[in-house]
Amino acid sequence: MLFDLHDIEYFSMTYVFTQDDDDDIVCEYEQTNAATQVAADGLSVTFTLKNIDTREDNEDYITSLIKEADDEYYLKSTYFEDEEELYPLNVEIFDEEVRFTSAGEGEALYLSGFFA
């Protein structure tokens, strides 16, 4: 295990859709007040994010799960069309955070977990 999921206190996510005219669409999400929930085996963490780009009364929440298997990390989220599919993540570890990334054609996801 590269790091302990119990050490992550807070998540934020940025999703970038690259446009042909260089006018990218950026969606930003922040963790709600609910705490992260680490599974008993310590191999997955569940958390809820809210779209911070929308009005206060908009209930645009997504639930996400990061799962670790053999030092590889995967994301499952209600954000995606297939919310049961596990998407592979690249991982970078810094002093105060771990950054998970996933990039496809014309889009990129940046998910940051901040250490307690």
Side-chain angles (χ1 to χ4, degrees):
M1 187 178 305
L2 299 173
F3 58 92
D4 190 336
L5 291 172
H6 288 95
D7 293 338
I8 299 175
E9 181 177 45
Y10 176 83
F11 285 93
S12 71
M13 180 177 82
T14 302
Y15 210 94
V16 179
F17 297 94
T18 307
Q19 305 294 305
D20 291 335
D21 59 4
D22 291 332
D23 193 19
D24 296 346
I25 297 171
V26 178
C27 300
E28 293 184 291
Y29 291 80
E30 296 287 337
Q31 185 172 337
T32 61
N33 291 336
T36 59
Q37 298 174 346
V38 179
D41 62 8
L43 297 178
S44 66
V45 60
T46 304
F47 50 94
T48 303
L49 299 169
K50 182 178 188 318
N51 186 334
I52 62 172
D53 297 327
T54 60
R55 298 186 323 268
E56 287 270 333
D57 59 345
N58 185 337
E59 299 296 316
D60 190 6
Y61 293 95
I62 58 173
T63 302
S64 299
L65 172 123
I66 293 177
K67 180 176 180 56
E68 188 266 332
D70 299 323
D71 289 333
E72 298 288 327
Y73 291 85
Y74 301 89
L75 175 66
K76 179 168 81 168
S77 178
T78 58
Y79 183 83
F80 302 120
E81 189 172 315
D82 182 356
E83 53 190 68
E84 292 302 314
E85 184 172 341
L86 289 171
Y87 295 89
L89 296 169
N90 296 315
V91 178
E92 294 177 273
I93 301 171
F94 302 96
D95 289 340
E96 297 181 8
E97 72 179 281
V98 58
R99 186 172 308 136
F100 302 95
T101 57
S102 178
E105 189 173 322
E107 60 186 9
L109 173 138
Y110 305 96
L111 180 63
S112 295
F114 298 94
F115 297 125

